[in-house]
Amino acid sequence: VKEDGRNDFRFFAKAMQQRTTRMLQLESAMHYALERNQFQLVYQPQMTMDGKTVIGVEALLRWTHPELGFISPAEFIPLAESNGQIIPIGAWVLRTALLQLKAWIEVGLKPMIMAVNLSAIQFRHPNLQGVVTGILNEVALPPEYLELELTESVATADPVNAIAVMNELHSLGIRLAIDDFGTGYSSLSYLKKFKVYKLKIDQSFVRDIATDSDDRAIVSAIIQMSKGLGFKTIAEGVETQAQSDFLMAQGCDEFQGYIFSKPLPAEQVLELIRKHQSR
Ligand code: C2E
Ligand code: CA
Ligand code: CA
Ligand code: CA
């Protein structure tokens, strides 16, 4: 018994050490990732519920390291938030995404929404508006093409401050979307004060809507509430026709998901967008 316990401990200690080593590796590699061009953006179309028209795209960050290979944003974004690197990385994402939209418009695409994820750290940064307006001016695009996605937990952690920041971004003419909606703890009384354009229903509720009656009830309630408050609704993580049918029947406005397209590099998504722009 004693031997077993010791082995368990050794196993545990080894796993812990491997995790720490990995974190330290990523941590130091991250400091050079921008200047060494290791980041890339991929774009996932956001579609009208009938799947016919593209509304815009969401920019999603990818990091490929020469030795460590592909590193998921779910792993490195939290690290970048804890060491502050998310500030320069986030500015790079914003600039790159808007420059891409500009380039697409120049080759004949109709203007559309470029949705960019905003981290809690960026959202709380005192110079957020300065950075955003600086990049918008530099790229010379009207602010209404930019949609910033902030998670529900960011918006509700400090609602009074969040409302002030949202008001400022709104007054710049930028659209705001609440990401991962349903996973946080929005007080409904605050929600109506948010200068928000869109609610994004979290994919965890969408996954089982074809079969799970609780998830169906939740999703349908979110859509009704969203309509009542004058927000648009988009569902994320839509993979099947059954999910899409249910969302359409409930009056959801838009969707994003593998059923239409995975996030793709700019060159690949361009043709897909071209075919789905209204004439
Ligand atoms: P998110 O903002 O909720 O993005 C949606 C995630 O769902 C993306 O994962 C996307 O690739 C994935 N997805 C899209 N359609 C489907 C589908 O039909 N089925 C399933 N199972 N998944 C789908 P990804 O790209 O790995 O990003 C993970 C998270 O990392 C994002 O979640 C976001 O929180 C964060 N992230 C990604 N890029 C950025 C960025 O530029 N800045 C910040 N701050 N966070 C980012
Ligand atoms: Ca998002
Ligand atoms: Ca989301
Ligand atoms: Ca998510």
Side-chain angles (χ1 to χ4, degrees):
V1 174
K2 203 174 167 201
E3 267 306 302
D4 273 6
R6 202 175 296 162
N7 281 336
D8 283 352
F9 177 73
R10 284 201 195 114
F11 180 77
F12 176 74
K14 188 143 186 274
M16 283 291 284
Q17 194 199 13
Q18 279 168 349
R19 258 235 305 273
T20 310
T21 307
R22 166 94 175 159
M23 292 224 331
L24 290 172
Q25 266 178 336
L26 294 185
E27 177 98 62
S28 70
M30 190 179 289
H31 286 87
Y32 302 99
L34 266 183
E35 58 189 71
R36 294 184 185 168
N37 294 315
Q38 292 168 1
F39 289 120
Q40 187 200 5
L41 291 182
V42 287
Y43 302 91
Q44 187 176 39
Q46 302 185 326
M47 308 300 295
T48 52
M49 210 54 237
D50 62 10
K52 286 187 180 150
T53 308
V54 64
I55 303 296
V57 292
E58 178 180 14
L60 292 154
L61 187 56
R62 296 291 176 259
W63 181 16
T64 313
H65 186 273
E67 280 99 47
L68 301 168
F70 175 80
I71 304 150
S72 162
E75 186 176 17
F76 75 79
I77 297 277
L79 260 183
E81 289 177 325
S82 67
N83 67 19
Q85 283 293 303
I86 194 68
I87 296 296
I89 294 172
W92 180 88
V93 169
L94 196 57
R95 181 178 294 108
T96 306
L98 289 174
L99 283 170
Q100 183 61 65
L101 178 59
K102 176 100 174 175
W104 280 333
I105 293 171
E106 278 163 4
V107 299
L109 280 199
K110 286 189 173 178
M112 58 175 189
I113 297 302
M114 177 59 74
V116 175
N117 292 285
L118 201 64
S119 144
I121 307 296
Q122 291 171 280
F123 187 72
R124 294 190 197 112
H125 195 277
N127 194 29
L128 173 64
Q129 298 121 273
V131 170
V132 174
T133 37
I135 293 173
L136 279 168
N137 288 337
E138 180 191 324
V139 178
L141 270 182
E144 63 261 29
Y145 302 142
L146 175 61
E147 189 166 284
L148 293 175
E149 297 193 357
L150 56 145
T151 61
E152 187 187 10
S153 47
V154 172
T156 52
D158 178 1
V160 175
N161 181 58
I163 289 170
V165 178
M166 285 191 229
N167 284 344
E168 286 164 1
L169 292 171
H170 179 82
S171 68
L172 296 176
I174 295 162
R175 287 184 182 180
L176 297 173
I178 302 287
D179 205 352
D180 300 346
F181 190 79
T183 61
Y185 301 92
S186 290
S187 147
L188 299 183
S189 61
Y190 278 124
L191 198 54
K192 70 175 183 193
K193 294 188 184 147
F194 288 171
K195 285 268 186 338
V196 159
Y197 182 75
K198 205 183 269 186
L199 293 189
K200 255 188 132 164
I201 305 173
D202 191 67
Q203 58 188 65
S204 62
F205 299 112
V206 173
R207 192 168 306 128
D208 299 322
I209 41 174
T211 49
D212 185 314
S213 60
D214 293 337
D215 287 341
R216 291 165 83 87
I218 291 168
V219 167
S220 139
I222 292 175
I223 294 170
Q224 294 322 307
M225 180 196 67
S226 186
K227 275 190 194 303
L229 292 171
F231 305 144
K232 283 215 174 298
T233 319
I234 182 165
E236 66 178 12
V238 178
E239 297 181 353
T240 68
Q241 192 59 46
Q243 291 168 336
S244 167
D245 290 346
F246 178 76
L247 290 161
M248 175 105 110
Q250 297 304 309
C252 188
D253 299 300
E254 299 162 12
F255 75 94
Q256 216 180 312
Y258 297 167
I259 189 177
F260 182 76
S261 173
K262 294 198 168 186
L264 295 171
E267 318 78 63
Q268 290 173 40
V269 85
L270 173 62
E271 276 318 298
L272 204 53
I273 299 170
R274 239 193 246 287
K275 287 187 202 130
H276 292 85
Q277 287 203 322
S278 55
R279 267 162 272 267

